[in-house]
Structures are given as C-alpha cells and as structure tokens.
Amino acid sequence: MSTTTPENPAAPAPDQNEIDPHVYERRWAILAVLCTSLMIVIIGNTSLNVAIPRLQLDLDASNSQLAWMVDAYSLVFAGLLFTAGTLGDKFGRKGALQGGLLVFLVGAYLAATASSAGGIIGARAVMGVAAAFVMPSTLSILTNVFPAHERPKAIAIWAGISGGGAAIGPIASGYLLEHFWWGSVFLVNLPIILIALVVGAILVPTSKDPEDQPLDFIGALLSIVALSTLVYGIIEGPHNGWLSGTSFLIFGVAAVALVLFVIWENTTASPMLDLTLFRDRRFSVASAGISLTFFAMFGTFFLVAQYFQLVLGYSALESGLFQLPMAFVMMALAPQVPKLVERFG
C-alpha cells in the first residue's frame, strides 16, 4: 500500500504488511501528533467554561451573549462535522488536519484580541469550523497508520486523550485567569497548535479515499441543516421554552431535515454516510452510548464550572482542579480498555 492512498477507514482494517514500513515505524509518534491536535479541539470546547464570570464582568456581556460565546463553537462544529470529514476523505486527510489547525490558530488569536462579546462569538464560530475538520481527520489518519491488531489500543488512547482534555481545559484556564487577562484562555493554544503543525507536516502521511467517490452535496446540505437546527434548538430551548411554538418549529425543521437526509442517503449512489453501518447492533449501540456519555460529560463540565464559582465561591483555578479526578481516571483507564474487552468481550 502506498502512503498516499491508504485504505478507507470504513473498509477492513489494514494489515501490518499493507502499511508503508516507514509509516509503520513512526506510528506512535504520529499518534502523539493526532492526540495533541485532538486535545486542542477538546480544550477549545471546555476551556471557556471557567472564564464565563470574568467575561461577564470585563465585557459587560448579557446572559445570552455568554451562552453564545460557548455555544457558537459547538453549533458550527456539530453542523459541519459530517461534511468536513467527507471533504477530508476526498481531498486529503492531512490537508484537512493541517488546514483545520491553521484556521483554529487564527480563530484563537481573533478571540484573544476581541474587544466585544460579538467579536468573541464570531471568533468562536471560526474555531468551530476548524474543529470540524481536525477531529474526524485525526481518527481517519489513525485508522490508516495502525494495523488491525493495534488499532483498538490506539483508538483507546485517542479516546482517553479526548475525555481527559475535556477536564484539563478548565484547569489550564483557571490558572491563566488567576495570573493573566481573559484573552490568555485563547492564546494558550497557539504554541501547541504551532508544534502540532510543524511536527505533523513532517510525520503525518498523506492519505485520502482511494475510491474517489463524487461529493454528496445534497446529503451534506441536509446534514448541516439537521444537525445545526437540532443543536440550536437544544441551546435555545430553555430560553424559548421547550413547549413553545418557536421550539416546535426549530425541532420540526431538524426532524424533517433528518428524515430527508436518511431517505437521500439510502437512495443515492454515493452516500456521504453509509447508513447500513447502523444495522450492526455493535456499531449502533456503541455510537449511541458514546453520544450519551459525551452529552452528559460536556454538560456537566459547563454546569459544574459555574456552580463552583458563582454558588460555592471557588476561584477559577480551584474550580478547574476539582474536575481533575475525572481527567486522571479517563486518561489512565482508557488505554487499558482493549485488554478488558479482550478478556470479557
């Protein structure tokens, strides 16, 4: 197998003999670059939680503006995730990763230098676009540089870094807020991004889907509408009222777009998402499980960070430190999970 066209991750896992020897030799170093890139995305999603009280004070931001500083990132990220992953598979996963990191750097700088709540919201949306390209490309590259027998361990490490990064973000932000101004919460990512860009340019191999299927423009549009309106409805539900006419309209649009997406993906010759994967109960149950886990975990981080500061009176750093046990447990346990799966099923 050439390093320029490894197997599609949707296909069977590559055997060690099918992977370029030079790529195989540096697979763990590549994984370190991928995990670093992933941690940038995850920290970018959680680091702002502990900064909310400071931003409200310094920028005189309203509650709605504070919510959108956090949610602009998640809304754009969720809406573009499927489409960005497909573009990376078609045009090159390394390019998607490097380009995403570069855009993330620009967005972080714009957020750190913003002088208004609206500026931060716009910069966070830019960071969300970047994150949508970075996250799926890290997993796609991982599945192409590790053979089948090593892939579970590599993915476990990838997942552990993902969960651990969610808890590390508030700690880093808390420390910075106690010593610097609120913009440092965004600037802390810049040196890490630069390291990931330089090392990734050297180590990460170029790859894309060898089948070169045509782009599914209709599927991409429907997925963006469905996911964006669904996330938007969840964000605005408490403000509009869950049973209000506005909420019913938003969720109705999301439901219609989702149904049309499923119908289109089942009928088009080149679907963006192969829905037959969900016929495998192991895949569908696992996907639902990880979705619910992350839904609860990120919601917990958002709520607890503010509860510790606004109700219990802890500092930003103390608030982050009290979330550290979750990071330690996830990062320590995740690499051991393949052994547990092998033993217990």
Side-chain angles (χ1 to χ4, degrees):
M1 178 194 302
S2 166
T3 58
T4 57
T5 56
E7 294 293 337
N8 185 344
D15 183 80
Q16 179 176 337
N17 296 326
E18 297 177 320
I19 300 175
D20 184 280
H22 298 293
V23 173
Y24 182 75
E25 289 175 1
R26 61 179 191 263
R27 65 196 185 284
W28 295 109
I30 294 172
L31 179 62
V33 175
L34 299 179
C35 288
T36 301
S37 303
L38 176 66
M39 184 170 286
I40 292 168
V41 170
I42 300 299
I43 289 177
N45 199 16
T46 61
S47 61
L48 198 60
N49 292 341
V50 297
I52 291 297
R54 177 75 67 81
L55 289 168
Q56 185 176 30
L57 180 64
D58 292 353
L59 297 178
D60 193 26
S62 66
N63 289 332
S64 177
Q65 289 174 323
L66 291 173
W68 277 108
M69 287 181 196
V70 176
D71 296 332
Y73 182 99
S74 302
L75 178 64
V76 177
F77 176 47
L80 291 179
L81 193 60
F82 277 155
T83 302
T86 300
L87 292 174
D89 282 340
K90 181 172 180 61
F91 296 109
R93 296 159 185 144
K94 180 178 180 178
L97 175 62
Q98 295 284 94
L101 288 173
L102 187 59
V103 173
F104 200 100
L105 186 149
V106 173
Y109 176 78
L110 291 175
T113 57
S115 58
S116 66
I120 294 179
I121 293 171
R124 290 278 292 172
V126 172
M127 294 167 67
V129 173
F133 282 89
V134 172
M135 190 172 191
S137 62
T138 60
L139 187 56
S140 295
I141 294 170
L142 181 154
T143 58
N144 281 275
V145 300
F146 281 90
H149 68 281
E150 290 183 334
R151 183 189 280 190
K153 182 178 181 180
I155 292 179
I157 294 173
W158 180 90
I161 294 296
S162 175
I168 290 174
I171 300 170
S173 295
Y175 176 83
L176 291 169
L177 287 170
E178 288 202 353
H179 295 83
F180 307 98
W181 96 114
W182 57 262
S184 61
V185 171
F186 302 104
L187 290 179
V188 67
N189 277 321
L190 267 58
I192 305 175
I193 296 173
L194 290 173
I195 292 172
L197 279 170
V198 173
V199 179
I202 298 171
L203 294 179
V204 175
T206 301
S207 66
K208 62 179 181 179
D209 186 349
E211 297 181 9
D212 194 26
Q213 295 184 351
L215 287 174
D216 180 11
F217 290 104
I218 295 179
L221 177 61
L222 289 173
S223 72
I224 291 172
V225 173
L227 291 173
S228 297
T229 51
L230 177 62
V231 175
Y232 180 81
I234 294 173
I235 292 171
E236 290 294 310
H239 174 70
N240 295 325
W242 293 106
L243 299 179
S244 68
T246 302
S247 291
F248 274 111
L249 177 62
I250 295 171
F251 286 120
V253 172
V256 171
L258 184 60
V259 170
L260 292 175
F261 175 76
V262 171
I263 294 174
W264 175 259
E265 296 300 285
N266 277 324
T267 56
T268 185
S270 302
M272 182 177 68
L273 176 64
D274 184 2
L275 296 178
T276 59
L277 290 171
F278 292 94
R279 296 175 184 172
D280 186 331
R281 286 182 296 177
R282 295 169 300 178
F283 177 83
S284 56
V285 171
S287 298
I290 195 66
S291 298
L292 291 173
T293 299
F294 272 75
F295 187 86
M297 185 177 71
F298 280 91
T300 299
F301 285 137
F302 178 76
L303 176 64
V304 166
Q306 297 180 68
Y307 176 74
F308 281 157
Q309 294 181 75
L310 301 178
V311 179
L312 300 184
Y314 293 128
S315 68
L317 178 57
E318 289 172 331
S319 174
L321 288 173
F322 279 121
Q323 299 177 60
L324 191 58
M326 183 178 288
F328 278 152
V329 171
M330 294 185 70
M331 297 181 74
L333 185 60
Q336 309 305 319
V337 170
K339 297 178 183 178
L340 300 175
V341 172
E342 184 177 352
R343 180 173 180 180
F344 298 107

